[in-house]
Amino acid sequence: MIKNGKYFVPPDGGDDDFKTFFARVAAEGVGRPADSDGCPQGPWTPELLAEAISQIDGNRAGIELRTVQLWFEDNEKGISTNNIRWLARVLGCNDPEGASAWQAALSRSQARLTARRRARRQKETSHDTDKDDRTPDNAPRPTRAEDPRQGFSLARVSEGIFSRGSPLNLPASVFAGAVALQFVSYFGLILPFQQDGVPGISFNGIKPGETFTYRFPIEQAGTYWFHSHSGFQEPDGAYGAIVISPKGGEAVPTDRDYVVQLTDKHPHSGSRVFRNLKASADYYNRAQRTAQDLIEDAGAEGLKAALQDRKMWGAMRMMPTDIEDVQGFTPLINGASTQQNWTGLFKPGEKVRLRLINSSATTYFDVRVPGLKMTVVQTDGNNVKPVSVDELRIAVAETYDVIVQPREAKAYSIIGESAGRTAMVRGTLAPSEGMVGPYYKMRPQRLLTMADMGGMMSGMEHSGMNTSGMDHSEMDMSGMDMAEGMPVVPSQGAQGAAFYAPGSGLIPTAANGGKFLGYEDLTARKPLYRDRPATREIEIRLTGNMERYIWSINGVKFEDADPIRLKYGERVRFKFVNETMMAHPMHLHGMWSIIDTGKGAYDPVKHTVSVAPGTTLYTETEVDAPGQWAFHCHLSYHMAGGMFRKVIVESGPS
């Protein structure tokens, strides 16, 4: 419903307290300007809501941004009577009757919050739930996987089901709002857009205590996953795996089948992580360069070169160690840390399928099983021609199915090492319970190079960047075509390097010196679509301001951007130009992304495509799904920071 040009919904607080009620309403975008389709222009953010309240006629004092931020955060702070009045005006779309209804609903929800807070404090005589996420001895609290007090975890339940090799054939899936699933998004599953579960685009959510049944026909098989798309529920644990078995059996049969779901569990909540990143983009960078590093670099490169390198990085206000936004997390396999040792059993000689899923908030993992070759047979649910590798890098949101064949009756390690070399997790493949795979030392930390900054130098916003005094003649730009911006893939180079900038510090190498998987190695087992020319090309520039922790597409944040409009039945070519110093796993809901590797109809088909810093990458999409879809970077905090778009597919069957 639209009132005064804004998205209006009558209040229905039920028994929710203010925190729960407000979180749902903000995510739905109630009171935000409505687009031409009658949908809100995205969810509320603290900045947008504070501005809207401050602009209300009669509110001379306005409202502090920090006050509004407290409403969004995971705490016990409520809302004052005066601010209820202003918030109701916004949610009621400046309609007197609507504002009155919202004021009454907000007042009731605040009363419930006050009552529940009072009751909880009476019970908690020895435990203060509003403390920092640390124990009394100042040690980090254990992760959900290590602390039974954390209670129910959708992620652990899902992983437990699928890690026992019990695939799910889906006529329908049921998720209860009691586990805080506000919105559910599926990766790669073909379904109506109304079932896709993205706030403000395709779904209004599941209220706490409710049950919603997702019903859609299953039109494909493979390894997929799902997660909440509301706030930061996904990095806080609202995700799981989905395995759909093909009717005629797998194209490459195996004796055993395990889901290996990787994630990065942080002791801070997702909302707190994002708040800290906005305050200081390097808040979680525990690997900043030191004076000792300067001494070592001067010894290896000469003092002048070492000082010049630091001068260039300093002028750009960047750091070569800034590969991962967030450090200090515990990497997990199927909800288990290295100490908890997730284990998959086998008999010597058996073929074992490992369904690798990266459901992390921010972390790319380099995965290997030392002593065994991995045969890659599927990516993002789509079969590929088998390719044997020693190691692969799995971007956030990607999936890979690999097959290993252990022939000895001993324990093997499944190693997931963060691409930035700041954390590592080990699981085990073993012939019997209780065995532990060998320990492997984490490899030296990676450093970005000026090649990874090529995109920034050729196109990124340089606000706040002081390059005066820089001797550009000393900068080594070999391999970088600054006139053309960035290299267009595929390029020549080391194994697995074709989709990285020449000279990039992120080019992967296998631990044993063997083959590292790259996109150029992937070939579709069977064409999913006929090969035909694209009708048009759309440029997607991946942009941002790291210092302010703002992320965008084509220099515009989500809340300020127009939707991308596609026509049903056309084939669109997307040109991704990464003008930032970070890799971005770009995920298009509802439709497939065909990576241009020069193989025509046999180009690999994926739902998520990683675009390395300083590179240009091309994909093509057959526009075969009518409706409204999300298109975004799948690093949780980049998505929240603005690297997000709505895609509207016009025409087509209703």
Side-chain angles (χ1 to χ4, degrees):
M1 185 184 305
I2 299 178
K3 285 191 176 184
N4 297 322
K6 298 179 180 179
Y7 179 64
F8 178 79
V9 175
D12 179 18
D15 293 329
D16 294 343
D17 62 26
F18 173 73
K19 301 301 291 190
T20 303
F21 187 33
F22 175 77
R24 174 161 52 83
V25 169
E28 291 178 10
V30 177
R32 291 229 47 211
D35 61 21
S36 58
D37 299 296
C39 296
Q41 296 178 6
W44 284 109
T45 65
E47 293 80 6
L48 289 171
L49 187 54
E51 182 181 4
I53 292 175
S54 297
Q55 291 176 348
I56 295 175
D57 293 339
N59 186 9
R60 297 180 179 179
I63 191 169
E64 292 289 336
L65 175 60
R66 181 58 187 152
T67 299
V68 180
Q69 288 174 335
L70 289 171
W71 302 344
F72 281 82
E73 292 170 7
D74 183 14
N75 54 40
E76 291 193 336
K77 305 295 184 182
I79 182 172
S80 68
T81 302
N82 191 49
N83 284 332
I84 284 177
R85 181 162 60 100
W86 301 125
L87 180 58
R89 288 272 298 275
V90 172
L91 300 179
C93 304
N94 288 324
D95 176 78
E97 292 184 4
S100 177
W102 274 103
Q103 184 169 347
L106 289 168
S107 297
R108 289 192 297 269
S109 70
Q110 174 59 30
R112 283 189 287 270
L113 176 65
T114 302
R116 291 174 185 176
R117 184 168 52 196
R118 186 181 300 115
R120 185 159 52 247
R121 286 177 175 173
Q122 289 174 351
K123 293 180 180 178
E124 294 171 352
T125 57
S126 61
H127 180 62
D128 181 0
T129 60
D130 204 28
K131 288 183 179 178
D132 183 43
D133 291 330
R134 306 187 75 83
T135 57
D137 62 358
N138 203 39
R141 292 196 183 278
T143 66
R144 176 178 285 124
E146 298 164 340
D147 188 355
R149 295 176 301 173
Q150 296 277 349
F152 180 84
S153 165
L154 175 66
R156 295 203 68 194
V157 170
S158 172
E159 290 157 352
I161 293 171
F162 293 107
S163 66
R164 290 194 293 270
S166 175
L168 176 64
N169 295 296
L170 283 175
S173 299
V174 181
F175 302 99
V179 297
L181 266 182
Q182 295 282 355
F183 306 92
V184 182
S185 177
Y186 299 93
F187 271 82
L189 289 185
I190 301 169
L191 39 65
F193 82 95
Q194 298 92 338
Q195 304 277 305
D196 188 43
V198 180
I201 292 181
S202 56
F203 189 57
N204 287 329
I206 309 169
K207 299 176 183 178
E210 279 190 354
T211 296
F212 180 85
T213 301
Y214 288 86
R215 298 185 185 276
F216 48 88
I218 296 303
E219 301 182 16
Q220 78 238 66
T223 303
Y224 305 96
W225 67 293
F226 66 92
H227 63 84
S228 169
H229 226 293
S230 179
F232 297 103
Q233 291 179 1
E234 179 206 334
D236 289 345
Y239 63 85
I242 295 177
V243 177
I244 307 173
S245 298
K247 288 182 179 179
E250 297 288 355
V252 182
T254 56
D255 302 294
R256 307 255 181 170
D257 193 318
Y258 296 108
V259 164
V260 177
Q261 192 156 18
L262 295 152
T263 194
D264 50 359
K265 177 57 185 173
H266 203 277
H268 293 170
S269 68
S271 59
R272 181 173 176 181
V273 169
F274 186 61
R275 183 172 75 251
N276 289 338
L277 288 171
K278 291 292 287 184
S280 174
D282 61 352
Y283 186 96
Y284 292 103
N285 189 343
R286 300 183 176 183
Q288 299 189 37
R289 311 214 74 189
T290 64
Q292 182 61 37
D293 292 320
L294 176 60
I295 293 171
E296 293 175 0
D297 290 348
E301 307 166 7
L303 180 60
K304 183 178 180 181
L307 289 173
Q308 184 66 28
D309 178 74
R310 276 154 179 76
K311 190 175 183 180
M312 289 189 293
W313 285 103
M316 292 182 288
R317 300 184 181 180
M318 303 292 178
M319 287 174 282
T321 59
D322 201 4
I323 295 173
E324 298 163 339
D325 285 346
V326 181
Q327 299 172 19
F329 58 86
T330 300
L332 306 174
I333 290 179
N334 293 347
S337 64
T338 296
Q339 291 73 23
Q340 292 170 313
N341 189 39
W342 177 88
T343 302
L345 300 179
F346 69 87
K347 293 180 181 178
E350 287 184 328
K351 292 183 178 179
V352 181
R353 180 184 291 255
L354 303 176
R355 300 179 183 269
L356 307 176
I357 302 172
N358 188 352
S359 53
S360 298
T362 65
T363 306
Y364 283 46
F365 283 99
D366 291 346
V367 180
R368 66 189 192 273
V369 184
L372 298 176
K373 287 279 188 179
M374 299 186 298
T375 301
V376 180
V377 296
Q378 187 185 107
T379 180
D380 292 358
N382 292 301
N383 289 334
V384 296
K385 293 182 179 180
V387 54
S388 180
V389 301
D390 296 281
E391 193 167 348
L392 63 81
R393 177 167 294 168
I394 183 168
V396 174
E398 286 186 317
T399 75
Y400 284 98
D401 281 22
V402 303
I403 296 174
V404 297
Q405 189 173 19
R407 299 186 181 277
E408 299 181 54
K410 67 177 186 180
Y412 295 85
S413 294
I414 302 173
I415 300 295
E417 190 175 20
S418 77
R421 306 293 184 256
T422 63
M424 186 170 73
V425 63
R426 184 214 61 224
T428 297
L429 287 176
S432 61
E433 293 281 3
M435 300 181 72
V436 178
Y439 171 78
Y440 293 87
K441 186 177 180 180
M442 191 158 56
R443 288 170 285 183
Q445 183 184 0
R446 310 297 296 264
L447 293 176
L448 296 171
T449 68
M450 284 296 145
D452 297 304
M453 304 295 288
M456 296 182 64
M457 294 175 179
S458 62
M460 186 181 174
E461 174 194 346
H462 293 275
S463 58
M465 176 175 164
N466 179 16
T467 58
S468 61
M470 288 177 62
D471 183 359
H472 295 275
S473 65
E474 298 288 338
M475 296 174 68
D476 180 11
M477 296 297 180
S478 59
M480 293 173 58
D481 185 356
M482 301 305 293
E484 294 297 327
M486 285 156 286
V488 176
V489 299
S491 63
Q492 301 297 319
Q495 291 183 345
F499 285 78
Y500 292 86
S504 167
L506 296 177
I507 294 175
T509 55
N512 65 355
K515 182 171 179 57
F516 203 107
L517 181 75
Y519 282 165
E520 66 273 18
D521 298 313
L522 300 175
T523 304
R525 190 177 183 93
K526 293 181 180 179
L528 185 60
Y529 301 100
R530 67 182 178 90
D531 190 30
R532 62 177 180 132
T535 54
R536 58 188 172 122
E537 180 177 290
I538 298 175
E539 184 173 86
I540 304 293
R541 291 169 40 243
L542 308 178
T543 50
N545 185 311
M546 184 64 183
E547 186 179 13
R548 296 169 59 198
Y549 208 78
I550 295 173
W551 300 98
S552 55
I553 292 175
N554 295 340
V556 182
K557 294 193 300 179
F558 170 61
E559 54 262 35
D560 300 323
D562 294 326
I564 297 172
R565 295 184 179 273
L566 307 179
K567 293 188 181 300
Y568 183 83
E570 70 174 333
R571 184 179 177 114
V572 175
R573 184 171 177 85
F574 288 102
K575 178 183 179 182
F576 292 94
V577 182
N578 190 346
E579 297 181 359
T580 78
M581 61 183 289
M582 301 197 73
H584 299 286
M586 299 304 296
H587 173 55
L588 173 61
H589 288 228
M591 291 163 282
W592 294 109
S593 295
I594 307 167
I595 306 179
D596 184 359
T597 62
K599 301 184 181 76
Y602 289 88
D603 279 336
V605 179
K606 293 173 59 63
H607 57 56
T608 302
V609 178
S610 178
V611 187
T615 67
T616 296
L617 180 147
Y618 290 94
T619 69
E620 294 189 0
T621 293
E622 289 285 352
V623 183
D624 55 3
Q628 300 185 154
W629 304 97
F631 189 18
H632 59 86
C633 173
H634 216 283
L635 300 183
S636 295
Y637 308 112
H638 290 192
M639 176 169 56
M643 194 174 280
F644 191 110
R645 281 292 185 275
K646 176 196 284 190
V647 172
I648 299 176
V649 177
E650 299 173 333
S651 304
S654 59

